Amino acid sequence: MPRGHEEHQDNVGAYLLGALPELEATAFEKHVMGCADCRDELERLRVSADALARAVPQVVAPGSLKASLMDAVRAEAPVTAVRRFPIRLPRIDLPRIRPAMAWVSAAFLLAVGVLAGYAGSVLTSEDDAGNVRTVAGQVDAARSPNGTATLVIPEGEGDATLRVNGMPKLAKGYLYEVWYSNGSRNTPVGTFTVDADGTGVAALPEGLEGVEQVMVTRERAPGVKAPSPPGPLVTVKT
Amino acid sequence: MSRLTSLADEEVMHAVQEGDARAFEVLYDRHGGPSFSLAYRMAGNRVTAEDIVQDAFLSIWRSRERYRGERGSVRTWILGIVHHRAIDALRRNLVHDRRRASSEGIEERHEARELTDVEAARREETRTVRAALKELPDDQLRVVELAYYGGFTHTQIADMLDAPVGTVKGRMRLGLAKMRRSLGEEAVA
Ligand SMILES: [Zn+2]
């Protein structure tokens, strides 16, 4: 039996209950690594200590707790399947980009009109955990009846994130393309795909300064210069 | 969501490890309630309990890649983290309220609307553990509660009870051992 066993073996209960101050807990852990007797006892009694967590009266957690937790988590969710292009934002030098919005046809506007009451509204702002602003987007209901889109914009540092749910699955060879629009110009910023549930996340590059709208189109190849007809599936006013 | 909700905890955890926020939401939906209940029992107020749970779950999310599923259930792992965070929070408080480890005055508010099989099994488990606690002699029950729910150290408890530290440690160990026998061989995973 390793040295110090006598003095350590009585610590097992206190250790499992969280009653040992940090230094003593560390010393105990060290001893346990080299002491099979203490290790066995620790594992045996751990069952009791773990059970204590479940013996408490069950109360209902407030919904606001989940909301603020999930806001923070979504803002941090990693980007899946997003490929970024070298970005040049349309500040000065993108003269060749087509005068925008021509493809925002009356039919499209009609289709998204149904959602207008919801879209564009700021869903949350300044949440305690992550200081993000969340904006709901407009989804073309004709092409994506169950689609939703949310733009999460950090108040300070950090990239904005676009999340989409319930989007149409992409046929082979197709991609979703994200565009920045400042009203007269559209600039492609990158592509993403969605999973089987139609969910996708895109981390938006370069901040959103000067960007009036973030849009998503379906494209056959990355790197197209202008959105292909019939235009954007998703539009989010920043 | 439907696909995720049908997965076992371990599988949901794998999705969380890959950074799936929806899987994390499922994880919270399953274990947030028991976590909040534990935090509330320890902190004695809802505001601190919310802080503890938010803190614990964010740490789970942020260190998700470090999760190793080799020992115990996902729930046990999560509740262990919540317990740690709660103890940290209680120890940061300069004023120790001796009564905080007591369950008096904490009424049960619940309960989950749907009585699923899982929920029923969980309540049965809670009853079993409470029964095991009830069988403890008072002096053992007292130190176990003060330590686990109150977040007090062995020396603080010794001071409170005016008992030698060695005695307090001994009661803790005896209490857990007795509980272990009452809980029987079917481990509460
Ligand atoms: Zn030992």
Side-chain angles (χ1 to χ4, degrees):
Chain A
M1 218 158 285
R3 273 186 35 213
H5 173 75
E6 299 302 318
E7 59 179 286
H8 279 298
Q9 67 175 349
D10 236 13
N11 277 338
V12 64
Y15 174 80
L16 285 168
L17 293 167
L20 288 185
E22 212 171 305
L23 279 179
E24 287 178 55
T26 310
F28 177 73
E29 283 167 359
K30 221 169 171 178
H31 169 77
V32 165
M33 286 203 281
C35 180
D37 279 16
C38 282
R39 206 160 46 232
D40 287 350
E41 178 80 337
L42 185 69
E43 293 316 313
R44 194 172 71 88
L45 298 189
R46 187 189 293 279
V47 175
S48 309
D50 287 345
L52 288 169
R54 301 152 185 248
V56 302
Q58 295 297 300
V59 293
V60 177
S64 57
L65 171 58
K66 177 178 172 180
S68 80
L69 175 68
M70 288 312 299
D71 273 353
V73 165
R74 284 192 195 104
E76 290 176 13
V79 177
T80 52
V82 170
R83 210 166 47 74
R84 295 182 186 191
F85 296 106
I87 305 296
R88 274 178 304 279
L89 277 181
R91 297 284 144 70
I92 318 153
D93 65 344
L94 280 167
R96 280 172 299 114
I97 287 193
R98 198 181 295 169
M101 313 303 284
W103 31 255
V104 181
S105 63
F108 170 70
L109 288 175
L110 213 65
V112 299
V114 196
L115 285 167
Y118 158 74
S121 53
V122 174
L123 299 177
T124 63
S125 66
E126 285 283 316
D127 82 303
D128 293 329
N131 292 317
V132 296
R133 192 159 61 88
T134 313
V135 188
Q138 295 179 316
V139 179
D140 181 351
R143 282 188 287 160
S144 178
N146 301 317
T148 60
T150 314
L151 187 60
V152 181
I153 308 167
E155 295 289 342
E157 296 275 290
D159 292 338
T161 311
L162 179 71
R163 297 186 51 82
V164 294
N165 290 296
M167 298 287 281
K169 251 169 77 179
L170 289 159
K172 206 164 180 258
Y174 280 89
L175 299 158
Y176 283 118
E177 176 100 41
V178 179
W179 304 79
Y180 284 172
S181 167
N182 67 0
S184 60
R185 291 181 184 132
N186 302 314
T187 310
V189 279
T191 60
F192 67 99
T193 56
V194 294
D195 65 15
D197 298 339
T199 300
V201 187
L204 306 181
E206 306 269 310
L208 292 175
E209 209 183 315
V211 177
E212 288 176 14
Q213 290 193 106
V214 175
M215 302 180 301
V216 176
T217 61
R218 197 191 60 149
E219 303 291 344
R220 190 187 281 278
V224 291
K225 296 266 162 56
S228 308
L233 258 162
V234 172
T235 311
V236 194
K237 292 197 166 63
T238 57
Chain B
M1 193 63 90
S2 55
R3 190 185 62 87
L4 278 165
T5 49
S6 64
L7 294 179
D9 276 354
E10 289 293 333
E11 295 167 300
V12 172
M13 232 2 251
H14 282 305
V16 169
Q17 286 190 289
E18 281 161 23
D20 187 336
R22 288 170 319 138
F24 187 79
E25 189 172 356
V26 172
L27 197 72
Y28 177 83
D29 286 342
R30 287 183 191 174
H31 308 296
S35 296
F36 183 77
S37 301
L38 175 60
Y40 184 59
R41 169 73 172 84
M42 294 176 72
N45 71 79
R46 300 185 83 81
V47 175
T48 311
E50 283 184 47
D51 286 349
I52 290 166
V53 173
Q54 168 112 0
D55 202 29
F57 272 83
L58 270 183
S59 84
I60 289 167
W61 169 250
R62 286 173 182 160
S63 58
R64 58 188 177 272
E65 278 153 25
R66 271 182 269 143
Y67 170 76
R68 299 282 174 270
E70 66 268 12
R71 194 185 60 203
S73 66
V74 170
R75 159 131 343 160
T76 296
W77 175 69
I78 290 176
L79 289 175
I81 292 168
V82 171
H83 184 244
H84 265 271
R85 294 278 161 164
I87 283 189
D88 286 349
L90 292 174
R91 296 214 175 134
R92 275 199 305 270
N93 279 344
L94 294 176
V95 183
H96 275 275
D97 180 353
R98 277 174 191 235
R99 288 160 304 164
R100 78 180 180 218
S102 155
S103 59
E104 277 169 46
I106 297 179
E107 78 281 29
E108 207 139 343
R109 294 196 191 184
H110 123 255
E111 293 239 352
R113 276 87 36 201
E114 280 171 278
L115 187 59
T116 58
D117 287 354
V118 175
E119 192 59 37
R122 187 175 299 160
R123 288 187 202 175
E124 180 56 39
E125 187 185 45
T126 298
R127 269 192 292 276
T128 309
V129 182
R130 284 196 198 163
L133 264 175
K134 262 196 191 135
E135 285 174 33
L136 293 186
D138 282 349
D139 57 350
Q140 291 173 18
L141 178 65
R142 188 91 186 105
V143 295
V144 165
E145 286 195 327
L146 283 169
Y148 190 86
Y149 300 122
F152 294 103
T153 64
H154 55 52
T155 47
Q156 287 171 327
I157 296 170
D159 279 352
M160 279 178 207
L161 303 181
D162 203 15
V165 170
T167 304
V168 169
K169 285 186 189 174
R171 286 177 191 165
M172 288 175 177
R173 187 181 171 190
L174 285 171
L176 290 181
K178 184 163 172 45
M179 268 185 79
R180 184 68 186 88
R181 286 191 297 278
S182 309
L183 291 172
E185 288 315 308
E186 4 127 34
V188 185

